[in-house]
Every structure is written in structure tokens, then in C-alpha cells.
Amino acid sequence: MITFTLNNEKRSVDADPDTPLLWVIRDEIGLTGTKFGCGAGLCGACTVHLDGEPVRSCQTLISDIADLNITTIEGIDGKAAKAIQTAWEEIEVPQCGYCQSGQIMSATSLLAQNPKPSDAEIDEAMNGNVCRCATYVRIRKAIHHASDLMEA
């Protein structure tokens, strides 16, 4: 049994220690907001927060998260998260939407650590989050807008 906190709730799972966190979240626990994209940690669709830091859940083994805090898109909360979610809607960022949970998780982490990021800092933080619809300009605009919302 591996015990960890998921979205502020203690969880225990009986899974092979080499199981990726992504599959525990989706298949064992039933939260499907975290998406499978590439399985190699390259696309960012599976991004979750591990003790507040964005990680690729397809590359994070369940054995490595014992007693740690995991936050998925279903459990994201706080000032930065609210601002990002509002900005995403107001700027109309999603096109197909598949990558958006990973994009939002990375953007929220960025704003929680840096409430007024530059374009270069946004690009660096969002690097590795692939959007096949190429909504990168709207993503950057929404992050700047969320930053402004946090000041208001």
C-alpha cells in the first residue's frame, strides 16, 4: 500500500510500485482530468502538482510519491488558480481542449511563484506543454491577464 494526499484527501492504493502516477489517478482513483498524451513526459498533458511543483505524472512512479501531496486539475485552488481559470475563459484559450488541464497546472504554478512573469518567463515555464491547436499566443495572453486579475 502506498499512501499519499490527493487533492487534500488522504489516499492509499495497492499498486505496483513501478506504476506511473497518471494511471493511478485515472484508473485506480477515477479522476480523468489529467490526460494521457505521449507517455514520455514530453507533451505536458499529464501535468499535476507534486508538493506544489508541476511534474509529469506519466513519468512519476507511484513509489516516489509516498506521503507527498498531489494536486490534479480537479483539486486546484487558490488565488493563482482562480485567476488562471477566469483568464482562460475570458481569453477563450481552449480550442480542442485536450492539453488544457496540463497547461492550466503549469500556468498556475508559474503565477503562484511569480505573480508578474515576463514573456520569457512564461515561455520557460510553459516549455514542454504542447498544444496541437497552437493556442500559444492566447495562453501567454491569458497568463498576463491572470496576473492582472491577481492584482485587482
Side-chain angles (χ1 to χ4, degrees):
M1 280 299 222
I2 296 169
T3 302
F4 57 97
T5 302
L6 179 68
N7 298 334
N8 296 317
E9 183 179 321
K10 277 279 193 216
R11 297 285 190 138
S12 293
V13 293
D14 187 14
D16 184 305
D18 291 333
T19 304
L21 174 60
L22 172 65
W23 299 120
V24 170
I25 291 169
R26 291 183 60 82
D27 294 347
E28 301 290 325
I29 296 173
L31 297 178
T32 57
T34 304
K35 303 299 184 196
F36 172 78
C38 66
L42 302 172
C43 74
C46 69
T47 302
V48 298
H49 291 174
L50 175 63
D51 282 344
E53 295 295 320
V55 298
R56 306 304 192 234
S57 63
C58 72
Q59 297 295 295
T60 303
L61 300 180
I62 191 71
S63 59
D64 294 334
I65 65 153
D67 301 319
L68 298 177
N69 296 305
I70 307 298
T71 304
T72 67
I73 191 72
E74 292 91 350
I76 199 163
D77 198 15
K79 188 174 183 176
K82 298 285 189 223
I84 287 289
Q85 291 167 334
T86 299
W88 243 243
E89 289 179 26
E90 290 178 1
I91 303 298
E92 298 180 349
V93 171
Q95 193 162 318
C96 84
Y98 195 83
C99 70
Q100 294 306 304
S101 61
Q103 301 280 0
I104 288 169
M105 295 302 286
S106 291
T108 298
S109 179
L110 168 63
L111 282 190
Q113 296 172 22
N114 180 358
K116 204 69 174 162
S118 66
D119 284 349
E121 290 167 328
I122 291 171
D123 293 347
E124 183 179 331
M126 300 305 290
N127 187 29
N129 285 87
V130 178
C131 176
R132 291 191 63 185
C133 303
T135 63
Y136 302 112
V137 172
R138 291 196 310 255
I139 289 168
R140 184 189 292 153
K141 183 177 179 180
I143 292 171
H144 282 302
H145 182 55
S147 176
D148 294 340
L149 291 172
M150 287 176 55
E151 288 181 342

